[in-house]
C-alpha cells in the first residue's frame, strides 16, 4: 500500500515545486528586462501620485477661482493654474485618478470578457468556434474609437458607463489570443483525462484551460489597460469624455489646447507627458511579462 501511495505523494509535492520554480524564473527574467522594470516603476509612481498625492497636496478642483486664472508655475502653484483657476498640479492628480481608474477597470473587464469568449470558442471548436470568431472578426473591423464617439454623442457617460463601453469594445483581441491558447491546451493529456472520467466542459475550462493560460491573460491585460487609457484620452480630447467637473488627462489636453497658443505651456505639457509615460509603461510591462513567460526563451 505504501509503495503505491508514496510515488503519488511525491508527484503531488513536485508539482507545486515546479510551479514555484517557474514563477521565480519568470520573476528573474522580468527583472532582467530593464525597460519593463522602469515601466513598473513609472506605473507605481503615477498610482501613488494620483491616489496618495491629493492627501499631501490638497487643492480645490470643484469651485471656479477667477482671481487666479492662467497663472504661471510658482511656489504657490507648482504647475500654474488653468482657465478657471484650478491648480494644475492638483488637476493632474485628479484627472490621473480618473484616467487610471477607467483604464485599469476597462482593461480588466475587456480581458475577462475576451478570456471567457475565446476559451469557450476554442474549447467548443467546430461550427460554434467558427460562428463565435466571425463575431470577433466583425467587431475588429469596426474601429473602437468610432463606436465610442457614436455612443458618447448620444449620451455622455459617467465613469461606470465609460468603463462598460470601453470593456465592450476592447475584448476582441484578448479573445483571439486566449482562443489560440485554448486550441493547444484542450488536447493535453490532463484535459482529455478529465473528459474521459466524466468531467464537465466548464470544469475543464475553469480548472485546466484558464489556469494554464494565465500568462497569456496577464500579458493581454497590460496591453488592454494601455489601450483603454489611450481611448479615454481620445474621447475626452474630442470633448465627449466624463462629465464636468470631473476630468481626465485627455480632457485636460482638450481644455489646454486653445490656451497653448497664448504660451500657457503648463496646461498641455504635463497631461500630455503623463499619457505618454503611462501608456509606454504599461506596454513595457506587457513586453517584459511576455518575455518572462515565454518558455522558448528560457535557459
Amino acid at each position: 500500500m505504501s509503495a503505491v501511495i508514496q510515488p503519488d505523494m511525491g508527484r503531488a509535492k513536485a508539482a507545486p515545486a515546479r510551479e514555484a520554480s517557474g514563477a521565480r524564473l519568470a520573476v528573474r527574467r522580468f527583472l532582467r528586462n530593464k525597460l519593463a522594470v522602469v515601466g513598473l516603476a513609472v506605473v507605481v509612481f503615477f498610482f501613488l501620485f494620483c491616489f496618495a498625492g491629493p492627501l499631501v497636496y490638497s487643492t480645490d478642483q470643484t469651485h471656479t477661482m477667477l482671481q487666479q486664472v492662467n497663472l504661471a508655475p510658482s511656489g504657490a502653484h507648482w504647475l500654474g493654474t488653468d482657465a478657471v483657476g484650478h491648480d494644475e498640479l492638483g488637476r493632474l492628480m485628479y484627472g490621473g485618478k480618473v484616467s487610471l481608474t477607467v483604464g485599469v477597470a476597462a482593461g480588466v473587464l475587456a480581458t475577462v470578457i475576451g478570456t471567457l469568449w475565446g476559451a469557450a470558442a476554442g474549447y467548443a471548436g467546430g461550427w460554434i468556434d467558427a460562428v463565435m470568431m466571425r463575431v470577433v472578426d466583425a467587431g475588429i473591423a469596426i474601429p473602437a474609437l468610432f463606436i465610442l464617439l457614436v455612443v458618447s454623442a448620444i449620451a455622455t457617460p459617467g465613469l461606470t458607463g465609460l468603463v462598460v463601453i470601453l470593456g465592450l469594445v476592447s475584448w476582441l483581441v484578448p479573445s483571439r489570443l486566449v482562443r489560440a491558447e485554448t486550441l493547444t491546451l484542450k488536447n493535453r493529456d490532463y484535459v482529455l483525462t478529465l473528459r474521459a472520467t466524466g468531467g464537465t466542459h466548464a470544469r475543464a475550462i475553469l480548472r485546466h484551460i484558464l489556469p494554464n493560460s494565465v500568462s497569456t491573460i496577464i500579458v493581454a491585460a497590460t496591453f488592454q489597460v494601455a489601450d483603454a487609457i489611450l481611448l479615454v484620452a481620445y474621447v475626452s480630447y474630442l470633448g465627449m469624455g466624463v462629465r464636468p467637473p470631473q476630468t481626465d488627462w485627455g480632457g485636460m489636453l482638450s481644455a489646454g489646447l486653445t490656451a497653448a497658443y497664448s504660451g500657457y505651456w503648463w496646461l498641455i505639457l504635463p497631461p500630455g507627458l503623463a499619457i505618454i509615460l503611462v501608456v509606454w509603461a504599461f506596454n513595457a510591462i506587457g513586453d517584459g511579462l511576455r518575455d518572462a513567460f515565454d518558455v522558448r526563451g528560457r535557459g
Side-chain angles (χ1 to χ4, degrees), residues 173-192:
V173 173
S175 70
R176 300 184 74 170
L177 296 174
V178 175
R179 171 187 174 266
E181 192 77 11
T182 303
L183 290 174
T184 301
L185 294 173
K186 73 175 184 178
N187 293 319
R188 297 287 176 88
D189 291 340
Y190 48 82
V191 177
L192 297 177

Side-chain angles (χ1 to χ4, degrees), residues 229-246:
I229 292 174
L230 270 182
L231 284 173
V232 173
Y234 291 155
V235 175
S236 297
Y237 180 79
L238 297 173
M240 299 181 180
V242 294
R243 301 186 186 95
Q246 290 179 320

Side-chain angles (χ1 to χ4, degrees), residues 185-235:
L185 294 173
K186 73 175 184 178
N187 293 319
R188 297 287 176 88
D189 291 340
Y190 48 82
V191 177
L192 297 177
T193 300
L194 175 66
R195 296 293 302 126
T197 55
T200 62
H201 298 302
R203 183 179 177 85
I205 292 175
L206 296 177
R207 294 294 299 274
H208 293 292
I209 302 294
L210 294 184
N212 285 283
S213 303
V214 66
S215 59
T216 300
I217 295 170
I218 292 174
V219 172
T222 58
F223 290 123
Q224 287 305 307
V225 171
D227 290 344
I229 292 174
L230 270 182
L231 284 173
V232 173
Y234 291 155
V235 175

Side-chain angles (χ1 to χ4, degrees), residues 160-182:
T160 303
L162 198 55
V163 168
V164 172
I165 294 170
L166 284 170
L168 292 177
V169 302
S170 304
W171 61 271
L172 304 167
V173 173
S175 70
R176 300 184 74 170
L177 296 174
V178 175
R179 171 187 174 266
E181 192 77 11
T182 303

Side-chain angles (χ1 to χ4, degrees), residues 31-150:
L31 293 177
R32 285 201 297 265
N33 189 321
K34 302 303 182 184
L35 287 178
V37 173
V38 173
L40 180 61
V42 169
V43 168
V44 171
F45 166 77
F46 273 103
F47 268 94
L48 291 175
F49 173 76
C50 295
F51 289 89
L55 301 178
V56 179
Y57 190 83
S58 179
T59 58
D60 184 355
Q61 296 296 322
T62 304
H63 300 93
T64 299
M65 290 165 280
L66 298 180
Q67 71 276 14
Q68 55 181 39
V69 170
N70 292 331
L71 296 179
S74 64
H77 303 282
W78 293 3
L79 287 180
T81 61
D82 63 10
V84 293
H86 293 148
D87 182 274
E88 187 71 1
L89 180 58
R91 199 70 173 165
L92 194 66
M93 298 176 184
Y94 184 76
K97 185 184 298 185
V98 174
S99 291
L100 291 174
T101 300
V102 173
V104 171
V108 170
L109 177 61
T111 303
V112 170
I113 296 173
T115 295
L116 295 177
W117 187 276
Y123 185 82
W127 67 268
I128 296 178
D129 177 36
V131 171
M132 294 179 71
M133 296 316 295
R134 293 301 77 73
V135 172
V136 172
D137 293 339
I140 290 178
I142 305 174
L145 182 58
F146 173 76
I147 298 175
L148 281 171
L149 291 177
V150 171

